[in-house]
Amino acid sequence: MDFNLLFSAISAIASAFIVVQLLLSFIQKKKEHEEQRRQKTVDMLLEWNRSLERETSSAVKIVGKFSEEQCRKLFRQEIFKVDKVIKKEICQLFQDESDLECSNCNLYESSKDECHLSQRQLVELRWYIISYLNTLETVLVAWQQGTVDKKMIEREFSYMYNPENGVDVLSKFRSAAGGSKVYPIIDYFIFTLKKNEERKYKLRMKYDL
């Protein structure tokens, strides 16, 4: 019997067994890691949904209609005018239609197209918007670091960028607040969503040809 040949065969089998074990261990760890990422993704989405109060969602929709100048004044807490429809939405948001400011707007400015916001309305509206953006910036840290399922987050938050409807996560207000210097992760996330839309458009064009 050729013992050298036998030892070589045993050594080869042992090496192959070790490789298989390492491969199985790698697959198991990867599977566990993916499960943890999925769970963390679900937890993050739940956390985000819990942070969205009715008032916050309404405030975001209202400020999304503001011009760049109005956003700058809101950030600086300078009183400015809005059209009467938006003013009514703001009064309803803060449930202060019976307040003196809203009463004066209705009584004395009824013939005008615009009404002033009160200082209280400015402060509260600004607080809701900044709280919303700060929470979103924090939540998206996990997306940037890859500790959650990035593709799933991009799908779930894709509504934040809709050029057809002019939706871009309060881009005018973010710009007034300092843009990418203040909200770098939101800025990069929106850039990613834009790229995703461009890829979808190119794919549609390719299949339509």
Side-chain angles (χ1 to χ4, degrees), residues 5 30 35 51 54 69 78 86 111 114 182 199:
L5 183 60
K30 186 176 180 180
E35 289 177 353
S51 72
R54 180 188 65 83
E69 180 61 23
E78 298 174 359
I86 292 180
S111 61
E114 295 181 314
V182 180
R199 282 194 290 269

Side-chain angles (χ1 to χ4, degrees), residues 1-13:
M1 179 179 292
D2 190 336
F3 288 102
N4 289 332
L5 183 60
L6 179 61
F7 287 142
S8 296
I10 293 173
S11 178
I13 293 171

Side-chain angles (χ1 to χ4, degrees), residues 188-203:
Y188 182 63
F189 184 72
I190 295 301
F191 172 78
T192 302
L193 293 184
K194 288 180 181 179
K195 290 296 182 183
N196 290 346
E197 285 297 316
E198 289 174 4
R199 282 194 290 269
K200 290 178 184 177
Y201 176 76
K202 289 179 180 178
L203 282 173

Side-chain angles (χ1 to χ4, degrees), residues 143-201:
W143 167 82
Q144 184 196 44
Q145 294 179 346
T147 57
V148 294
D149 188 322
K150 299 186 76 169
K151 293 300 180 183
M152 184 181 294
I153 295 301
E154 289 165 23
R155 286 195 303 270
E156 292 296 323
F157 285 75
S158 61
Y159 67 90
M160 291 187 171
Y161 175 70
N162 188 331
E164 295 178 359
N165 296 329
V167 178
D168 192 359
V169 193
L170 301 169
S171 58
K172 294 174 185 176
F173 186 88
R174 284 190 289 116
S175 178
S180 59
K181 293 180 181 179
V182 180
Y183 299 109
I185 300 179
I186 295 177
D187 195 64
Y188 182 63
F189 184 72
I190 295 301
F191 172 78
T192 302
L193 293 184
K194 288 180 181 179
K195 290 296 182 183
N196 290 346
E197 285 297 316
E198 289 174 4
R199 282 194 290 269
K200 290 178 184 177
Y201 176 76

